[in-house]
């Protein structure tokens, strides 16, 4: 499962990142790392970009780029976050 | 002289700190990559003069953006004696990686943790002693915004410099930069030991504001409403100020200058009063409204709302081959096109950057705004003025979208869109004051550089040869007008307006001033004369042309230097001139055909 599969309000743990090197590096610098929890805060209208929260950082990312971020299966209690 | 480099991620208050330490006034922007040129200043450190260099904000010493490349290039080519690293305390968990990357280079380093107020509000406490021990470098909390901790930071920096460790070896750093990646693990270990952070941050004020402003359906309408209200605010406050300034210049001339200079020869009197003074004072009347405009723009820019605008607009921009950041650059272009063009450096994909740069010169900058405020006040009753100006902003958006759609096939890119959303911030009165003062300085600089020379040349062109009646068709200006008549007649632009347009090519600030010189009048007399000479259809056609054709020489020079391509510069120039003419032609002939 990838990050773009999460609905607003849901969160999950990052499993890995698969993309071209530049994007991987940028995501790393913004704090995207395996083991970290990410939450989808909201999505812009018309299948627009996702507003993601990772740690104390808020990030905007397009749905297609969010596919690069692979998730571990979400635990039930994190869904209520 | 010792060299101190200031390093940090974007949005950490690095520019604010630089301004505070240097006493200068670099621009503060809440937008990644705003600090584009390398600023440096001489500061006093422990009794010695040191050079403080403000390096561009970077996320990652090994990243791929232009700014990150600039920093690497700088460190690999210039020895430095001390690296001042500034990080955002509220995001210390991920920003510490930068400090570790820089430490790994073996540079003498002082770590400054900024925005402790934001961190406190978010419930984050940092044990600086523990962190300092773990890192093996001095750590200090500061507030660049309010200045607390800054004197201590300078003392600390002076003490580190006194240890006389040799300056960094650029070549060694160049090799080190190529390899190293074990930073991440160590960062996690130190964070785990020295930082306590609530696992899930409390719903903060930013969250509550975002719930309204980023609402899927109301977000965009609210954004445009906010922008509209800001403009309304600017003009409500600015219009009386503008009238007052114009009155002061008028009175000054009537009461003091006219009697004082009456003894001079007629030609010199004319040159000084009808040329220089009339031109400059007509332009200067707009200074209050432009300063106000920039103050409001800078507050919006520093607030973090522009990144939200990028989020809201991205879907629409993607359809035009651009992304949300492009929209933000266009908005910044409303202030001035030049920094907006330089701001595109945050884009890594060249086609995306070029396409964005092609659209920016079409955004209605503050210099063009002057021309429109001036012409609209003459040609339209007050009840229609707001609508006329609003429609020009709409045309600006329309030409931007049209350009992007037409050229997107030529500039295809697949750059990922990943953007940080900083928390909302409010600039301090001091920041606002510095920014406003800078705009006044910038205007005075342009005034001396372009406007004085411009209005003097216009005066000469409209008064030579001496045998001709001033501003008549026998003057040199008349000949130039006749030369361009075949192109400009079809769009309703007469001889007088043509001269203003030609000089407007250098800078739009000249346009209003040169109209004053061409007619040899100022204030109400000038307005009446112009209203008698042209009707609203001609005036609107003139404004459309002014809006779309190349903004100024500085923009062209920036296009050339940022794209590193002469061909691209010519493309932009040719496209905007052609589009300006076509749209003015369509408007003028269309409205005339309708019987106006």
């Amino acid at each position: 499962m990838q990050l773009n599969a999460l609905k607003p309000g849901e969160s999950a743990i990052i499993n890995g990142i698969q993309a071209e090197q530049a994007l991987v590096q940028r995501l790393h610098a913004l704090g995207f790392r395996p083991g970290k929890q990410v939450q989808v805060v909201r999505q812009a209208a018309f299948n627009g970009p996702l507003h993601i929260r990772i740690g104390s950082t808020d990030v905007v990312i397009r749905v297609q780029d969010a596919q690069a971020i692979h998730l571990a299966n979400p635990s039930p209690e994190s869904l209520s976050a | 002289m010792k060299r101190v480099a200031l390093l940090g991620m974007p949005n950490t208050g690095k520019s604010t700190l630089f301004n505070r330490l240097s006493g200068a006034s670099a621009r503060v922007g809440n937008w990644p990559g705003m600090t584009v040129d390398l600023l440096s200043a001489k500061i006093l450190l422990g009794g010695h003069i040191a050079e403080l260099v403000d390096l561009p904000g970077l996320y990652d010493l090994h990243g791929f953006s232009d700014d990150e490349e600039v920093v690497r290039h700088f460190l690999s080519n210039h020895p430095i004696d001390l690296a001042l690293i500034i990080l955002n305390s509220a995001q210390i968990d991920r920003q510490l990686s930068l400090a570790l990357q820089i430490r790994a280079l073996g540079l003498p380093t002082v770590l400054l943790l900024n925005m402790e107020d934001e961190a406190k509000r978010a419930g984050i406490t940092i044990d600086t002693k523990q962190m300092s021990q773990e890192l093996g470098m001095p750590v200090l909390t500061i507030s660049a915004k309010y200045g607390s901790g800054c004197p201590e930071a300078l003392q600390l920096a002076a003490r580190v410099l006194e240890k006389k460790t040799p300056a960094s070896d650029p070549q060694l750093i160049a090799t080190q930069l190529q390899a190293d990646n074990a930073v991440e693990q160590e960062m996690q270990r130190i964070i785990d030991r020295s930082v306590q952070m609530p696992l899930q941050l409390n719903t903060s004020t930013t969250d509550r504001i975002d719930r309204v402003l980023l609402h899927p359906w109301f977000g965009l309408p609210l954004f445009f409403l906010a922008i509209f209200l800001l403009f309304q605010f600017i003009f409500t406050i600015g219009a009386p100020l503008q009238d007052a300034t114009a009155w002061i210049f008028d009175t000054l001339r009537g009461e003091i200058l006219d009697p004082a200079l009456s003894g001079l020869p007629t030609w010199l009197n004319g040159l000084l009063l009808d040329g220089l003074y009339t031109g400059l004072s007509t332009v200067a009347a707009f200074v209050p409204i432009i300063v106000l405009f920039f103050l409001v723009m800078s507050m919006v820019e520093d607030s973090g709302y522009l990144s939200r605008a990028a989020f809201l607009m991205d879907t629409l921009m993607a359809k035009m081959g651009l992304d949300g950041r492009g929209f933000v650059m266009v908005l910044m272009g409303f202030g001035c096109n030049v920094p907006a063009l330089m701001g595109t450096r945050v884009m890594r994909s060249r086609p995306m950057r070029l396409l964005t740069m092609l659209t920016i010169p079409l955004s209605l900058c503050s210099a063009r705004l002057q021309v429109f405020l001036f012409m609209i006040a003459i040609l339209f009753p007050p009840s229609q003025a707001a609508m006329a100006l609003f429609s020009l902003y709409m045309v600006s958006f329309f030409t931007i979208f049209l350009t992007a759609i037409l050229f997107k096939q030529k500039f295809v890119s697949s750059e990922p869109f990943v953007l940080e959303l900083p928390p909302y911030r409010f600039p301090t009165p001091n920041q606002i004051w510095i920014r406003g003062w800078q705009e006044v300085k910038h205007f005075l600089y342009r005034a001396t550089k372009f406007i004085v020379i411009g209005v003097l040349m216009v005066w000469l062109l409209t008064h030579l040869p001496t045998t001709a009646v001033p501003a008549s068709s026998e003057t040199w200006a008349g000949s130039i007008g006749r030369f361009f008549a075949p192109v400009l007649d079809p769009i309703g632009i007469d001889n007088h307006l043509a001269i203003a347009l030609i000089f407007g090519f250098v800078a739009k600030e000249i346009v209003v001033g040169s109209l004053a010189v061409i007619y040899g009048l100022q204030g109400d007399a000038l307005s009446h004369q112009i209203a008698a000479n042209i009707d609203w259809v001609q005036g609107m056609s003139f404004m459309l042309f002014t809006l779309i054709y190349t903004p100024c020489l500085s923009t062209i020079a920036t296009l050339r230097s940022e794209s590193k391509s002469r061909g691209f510069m010519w493309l932009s120039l040719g496209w905007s001139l052609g589009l300006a003419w076509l749209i003015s032609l369509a408007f003028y002939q269309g409205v005339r055909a309708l019987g106006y």
Side-chain angles (χ1 to χ4, degrees), chain B residues 50 57 87 89 91 180 189 193 227 276 321 368 460 468:
Chain B
L87 300 180
S89 310
Q91 299 180 344
D180 106 290
R189 192 177 61 80
R193 290 198 181 183
I227 295 289
L276 204 55
R368 282 180 273 209
L460 288 174

PDB file of all heavy atoms in Angstrom, chain B residues 50 57 87 89 91 180 189 193 227 276 321 368 460 468:
ATOM      1  N   ALA B  50      34.669  40.759  11.049  1.00  0.00           N
ATOM      2  CA  ALA B  50      34.529  39.480  10.355  1.00  0.00           C
ATOM      3  C   ALA B  50      33.498  39.641   9.243  1.00  0.00           C
ATOM      4  O   ALA B  50      32.651  40.531   9.293  1.00  0.00           O
ATOM      5  CB  ALA B  50      34.088  38.396  11.327  1.00  0.00           C
ATOM      6  N   GLY B  57      19.085  29.116   1.842  1.00  0.00           N
ATOM      7  CA  GLY B  57      18.499  28.076   2.673  1.00  0.00           C
ATOM      8  C   GLY B  57      18.562  26.730   1.971  1.00  0.00           C
ATOM      9  O   GLY B  57      18.373  26.645   0.760  1.00  0.00           O
ATOM     10  N   LEU B  87      18.651  26.583  13.094  1.00  0.00           N
ATOM     11  CA  LEU B  87      17.608  25.579  12.883  1.00  0.00           C
ATOM     12  C   LEU B  87      16.338  26.024  13.591  1.00  0.00           C
ATOM     13  O   LEU B  87      16.372  26.809  14.532  1.00  0.00           O
ATOM     14  CB  LEU B  87      18.052  24.221  13.446  1.00  0.00           C
ATOM     15  CG  LEU B  87      19.312  23.600  12.848  1.00  0.00           C
ATOM     16  CD1 LEU B  87      19.597  22.262  13.513  1.00  0.00           C
ATOM     17  CD2 LEU B  87      19.165  23.410  11.338  1.00  0.00           C
ATOM     18  N   SER B  89      13.590  25.353  16.075  1.00  0.00           N
ATOM     19  CA  SER B  89      13.411  24.484  17.249  1.00  0.00           C
ATOM     20  C   SER B  89      12.170  23.614  17.126  1.00  0.00           C
ATOM     21  O   SER B  89      12.144  22.479  17.592  1.00  0.00           O
ATOM     22  CB  SER B  89      13.270  25.322  18.511  1.00  0.00           C
ATOM     23  OG  SER B  89      14.283  26.260  18.592  1.00  0.00           O
ATOM     24  N   GLN B  91      11.000  22.199  14.654  1.00  0.00           N
ATOM     25  CA  GLN B  91      11.155  21.073  13.742  1.00  0.00           C
ATOM     26  C   GLN B  91      12.525  20.430  13.915  1.00  0.00           C
ATOM     27  O   GLN B  91      13.099  19.884  12.976  1.00  0.00           O
ATOM     28  CB  GLN B  91      10.997  21.544  12.292  1.00  0.00           C
ATOM     29  CG  GLN B  91       9.641  22.141  12.030  1.00  0.00           C
ATOM     30  CD  GLN B  91       9.498  22.595  10.601  1.00  0.00           C
ATOM     31  OE1 GLN B  91      10.475  22.740   9.886  1.00  0.00           O
ATOM     32  NE2 GLN B  91       8.275  22.811  10.188  1.00  0.00           N
ATOM     33  N   ASP B 180      29.181  10.522   2.146  1.00  0.00           N
ATOM     34  CA  ASP B 180      28.832  10.367   3.568  1.00  0.00           C
ATOM     35  C   ASP B 180      27.320  10.296   3.702  1.00  0.00           C
ATOM     36  O   ASP B 180      26.591  11.031   3.090  1.00  0.00           O
ATOM     37  CB  ASP B 180      29.449  11.481   4.421  1.00  0.00           C
ATOM     38  CG  ASP B 180      28.448  12.513   4.890  1.00  0.00           C
ATOM     39  OD1 ASP B 180      27.980  13.277   4.019  1.00  0.00           O
ATOM     40  OD2 ASP B 180      28.124  12.562   6.071  1.00  0.00           O
ATOM     41  N   ARG B 189      19.494   9.058  17.112  1.00  0.00           N
ATOM     42  CA  ARG B 189      19.994   8.722  18.436  1.00  0.00           C
ATOM     43  C   ARG B 189      20.053   9.972  19.323  1.00  0.00           C
ATOM     44  O   ARG B 189      19.595   9.968  20.467  1.00  0.00           O
ATOM     45  CB  ARG B 189      21.392   8.102  18.296  1.00  0.00           C
ATOM     46  CG  ARG B 189      21.938   7.440  19.541  1.00  0.00           C
ATOM     47  CD  ARG B 189      23.293   6.813  19.259  1.00  0.00           C
ATOM     48  NE  ARG B 189      24.288   7.789  18.840  1.00  0.00           N
ATOM     49  CZ  ARG B 189      24.944   8.584  19.688  1.00  0.00           C
ATOM     50  NH1 ARG B 189      24.712   8.506  20.976  1.00  0.00           N
ATOM     51  NH2 ARG B 189      25.830   9.447  19.254  1.00  0.00           N
ATOM     52  N   ARG B 193      17.772  11.107  22.698  1.00  0.00           N
ATOM     53  CA  ARG B 193      18.365  11.357  24.006  1.00  0.00           C
ATOM     54  C   ARG B 193      18.125  12.756  24.519  1.00  0.00           C
ATOM     55  O   ARG B 193      18.055  12.973  25.719  1.00  0.00           O
ATOM     56  CB  ARG B 193      19.875  11.130  23.940  1.00  0.00           C
ATOM     57  CG  ARG B 193      20.199   9.671  23.786  1.00  0.00           C
ATOM     58  CD  ARG B 193      21.618   9.459  24.162  1.00  0.00           C
ATOM     59  NE  ARG B 193      21.970   8.062  23.991  1.00  0.00           N
ATOM     60  CZ  ARG B 193      23.155   7.589  24.301  1.00  0.00           C
ATOM     61  NH1 ARG B 193      24.062   8.409  24.781  1.00  0.00           N
ATOM     62  NH2 ARG B 193      23.430   6.328  24.130  1.00  0.00           N
ATOM     63  N   ILE B 227      -7.479  38.220  -0.986  1.00  0.00           N
ATOM     64  CA  ILE B 227      -6.664  39.084  -1.836  1.00  0.00           C
ATOM     65  C   ILE B 227      -7.447  40.344  -2.214  1.00  0.00           C
ATOM     66  O   ILE B 227      -6.934  41.467  -2.163  1.00  0.00           O
ATOM     67  CB  ILE B 227      -6.242  38.328  -3.114  1.00  0.00           C
ATOM     68  CG1 ILE B 227      -5.329  37.160  -2.742  1.00  0.00           C
ATOM     69  CG2 ILE B 227      -5.557  39.253  -4.107  1.00  0.00           C
ATOM     70  CD1 ILE B 227      -3.953  37.566  -2.265  1.00  0.00           C
ATOM     71  N   LEU B 276      11.913  67.951 -15.403  1.00  0.00           N
ATOM     72  CA  LEU B 276      12.316  67.162 -14.240  1.00  0.00           C
ATOM     73  C   LEU B 276      11.272  67.158 -13.124  1.00  0.00           C
ATOM     74  O   LEU B 276      10.826  66.107 -12.663  1.00  0.00           O
ATOM     75  CB  LEU B 276      13.642  67.723 -13.716  1.00  0.00           C
ATOM     76  CG  LEU B 276      14.498  66.766 -12.922  1.00  0.00           C
ATOM     77  CD1 LEU B 276      14.757  65.515 -13.725  1.00  0.00           C
ATOM     78  CD2 LEU B 276      15.820  67.445 -12.564  1.00  0.00           C
ATOM     79  N   GLY B 321       0.431  22.733 -17.155  1.00  0.00           N
ATOM     80  CA  GLY B 321       1.835  22.357 -17.228  1.00  0.00           C
ATOM     81  C   GLY B 321       2.694  23.009 -16.163  1.00  0.00           C
ATOM     82  O   GLY B 321       3.917  22.923 -16.208  1.00  0.00           O
ATOM     83  N   ARG B 368       3.419  48.814 -13.092  1.00  0.00           N
ATOM     84  CA  ARG B 368       2.304  48.951 -14.028  1.00  0.00           C
ATOM     85  C   ARG B 368       1.055  49.439 -13.310  1.00  0.00           C
ATOM     86  O   ARG B 368       0.249  50.177 -13.865  1.00  0.00           O
ATOM     87  CB  ARG B 368       2.051  47.610 -14.713  1.00  0.00           C
ATOM     88  CG  ARG B 368       3.070  47.342 -15.806  1.00  0.00           C
ATOM     89  CD  ARG B 368       2.836  46.036 -16.489  1.00  0.00           C
ATOM     90  NE  ARG B 368       3.507  44.957 -15.761  1.00  0.00           N
ATOM     91  CZ  ARG B 368       3.966  43.855 -16.340  1.00  0.00           C
ATOM     92  NH1 ARG B 368       3.827  43.693 -17.635  1.00  0.00           N
ATOM     93  NH2 ARG B 368       4.552  42.935 -15.640  1.00  0.00           N
ATOM     94  N   LEU B 460      13.523  66.536 -23.860  1.00  0.00           N
ATOM     95  CA  LEU B 460      14.342  66.936 -25.006  1.00  0.00           C
ATOM     96  C   LEU B 460      13.654  66.549 -26.309  1.00  0.00           C
ATOM     97  O   LEU B 460      13.559  67.353 -27.238  1.00  0.00           O
ATOM     98  CB  LEU B 460      15.728  66.289 -24.917  1.00  0.00           C
ATOM     99  CG  LEU B 460      16.638  66.868 -23.821  1.00  0.00           C
ATOM    100  CD1 LEU B 460      17.924  66.061 -23.715  1.00  0.00           C
ATOM    101  CD2 LEU B 460      16.943  68.340 -24.111  1.00  0.00           C
ATOM    102  N   ALA B 468      10.580  74.062 -33.412  1.00  0.00           N
ATOM    103  CA  ALA B 468       9.260  73.441 -33.413  1.00  0.00           C
ATOM    104  C   ALA B 468       8.444  73.866 -32.200  1.00  0.00           C
ATOM    105  O   ALA B 468       8.982  74.217 -31.158  1.00  0.00           O
ATOM    106  CB  ALA B 468       9.406  71.925 -33.424  1.00  0.00           C
TER     107      ALA B 468
END
